[in-house]
Amino acid sequence: MTAAVLYDVSDGVALITLNRPERLNAWGPDIAVGFYAAIDGAEADPAVRAIVVTGSGRGFCAGANLGPATGTDESALDTSGTDVAQLVGDRPAHFLTELRKPVIAAINGACVGIGLTHALMCDIRFAAAGAKFATAFTRRGLIAEYGITWILPRLVGWGAAMDLLLSGRTFLAEEAHRLGLVNQVVAPDELLPRAMAYAADIAANCSPASLAVIKAQAYGDALDDIAAVSARAEKLMYESLARPDLIEGITSFLQKRPPNFPPLTEERLST
């Protein structure tokens, strides 16, 4: 059997592909293990400066793999003994927001349930025209899982979030874009090249240290008051002034050349 998750690095971008197309990449232990390993590899590799996540075949991730994809045999669909911890793996979806590197979702097809939650926890989302989305929880007798009730209202607003969560209805990429759930909709054959080009531009032109700090700011500040956020930003600004990234950023701008920022290390962020 082929690997459940594929991993490739080029031009400073790690491409992570969920690879169970026969089940629309429905989330299960095999994908969980491969996905976490790929993410850990990308996060630890100084050569990787941005991450793109996509799916093979017609789906991005069609929810959790709770049972057979077809059939109506009640015994076959019984999920009362499902070990959710084993199914999901050892990390909640919001761990993506805690990474130091930007994560771009290239949503090529069905994006449902836990697949949608993971996509929303990515920092940027591109979608193929016509791709189908749904929370689906209410239509499966489930609850809103793993932080989607935290991230979805922040992306689309309270009213739209409640509509999508309570109705569980299917909606298309074009509506997702209007709601602010995805950043851009492109033709299916242009999706991966567009997402990879976007990530490669970040990798080539953005300071890894700045990316790491700003990402931590954005998600951390969302839960704090403006005074605390401003005070923390002032401290972080002084720290950034001491990094070589600033000199390189200004020098490359004045010299009209691409920047050559140093790779991200723990030592650089702590000084």
Side-chain angles (χ1 to χ4, degrees):
M1 182 177 291
T2 57
V5 176
L6 306 179
Y7 183 80
D8 183 66
V9 177
S10 63
D11 298 326
V13 179
L15 174 61
I16 298 174
T17 306
L18 309 186
N19 190 40
R20 286 291 179 258
E22 69 280 1
R23 64 177 198 237
L24 297 179
N25 303 312
W27 192 270
D30 54 346
I31 284 182
V33 169
F35 183 67
Y36 300 145
I39 288 289
D40 287 347
E43 179 78 345
D45 186 353
V48 172
R49 301 192 174 195
I51 301 167
V52 173
V53 179
T54 193
S56 60
R58 298 182 297 109
F60 177 77
C61 176
N65 187 29
L66 294 174
T70 60
T72 58
D73 178 15
E74 185 176 343
S75 63
L77 294 174
D78 179 20
T79 60
S80 59
T82 299
D83 184 343
V84 175
Q86 182 184 30
L87 176 68
V88 174
D90 59 2
R91 304 179 209 182
H94 76 263
F95 90 97
L96 293 172
T97 69
E98 299 170 345
L99 301 178
R100 300 173 302 169
K101 300 175 182 181
V103 184
I104 297 98
I107 303 168
N108 54 301
C111 185
V112 180
I114 195 171
L116 177 59
T117 302
H118 277 95
L120 298 185
M121 295 299 179
C122 295
D123 305 301
I124 303 290
R125 284 160 296 281
F126 296 98
K132 294 182 178 180
F133 295 75
T135 63
F137 306 121
T138 57
R139 300 190 179 215
R140 304 294 183 270
L142 296 169
I143 55 88
E145 60 192 8
Y146 298 106
I148 195 171
T149 51
W150 182 88
I151 191 68
L152 187 57
R154 284 168 166 77
L155 293 173
V156 303
W158 189 262
M162 293 304 289
D163 162 37
L164 300 178
L165 288 168
L166 296 178
S167 73
R169 65 182 178 85
T170 298
F171 57 103
L172 300 182
E174 290 74 12
E175 181 179 358
H177 181 247
R178 291 195 300 272
L179 291 173
L181 192 150
V182 300
N183 297 80
Q184 190 174 351
V185 176
V186 299
D189 60 348
E190 297 174 5
L191 175 67
L192 193 56
R194 176 71 181 97
M196 292 295 288
Y198 180 91
D201 177 69
I202 288 178
N205 296 298
C206 297
S207 158
S210 294
L211 290 169
V213 173
I214 289 173
K215 182 167 175 176
Q217 282 181 280
Y219 291 107
D221 292 351
L223 299 178
D224 217 336
D225 65 83
I226 185 61
V229 167
S230 297
R232 190 160 55 244
E234 183 176 358
K235 177 179 180 293
L236 293 170
M237 177 60 73
Y238 279 113
E239 291 176 0
S240 72
L241 294 175
R243 295 193 189 102
D245 303 61
L246 177 63
I247 295 175
E248 175 59 16
I250 294 174
T251 302
S252 61
F253 174 76
L254 294 175
Q255 295 178 351
K256 296 181 171 31
R257 62 169 174 79
N260 183 25
F261 291 116
L264 183 66
T265 63
E266 293 295 341
E267 291 76 15
R268 293 190 61 235
L269 281 183
S270 61
T271 58

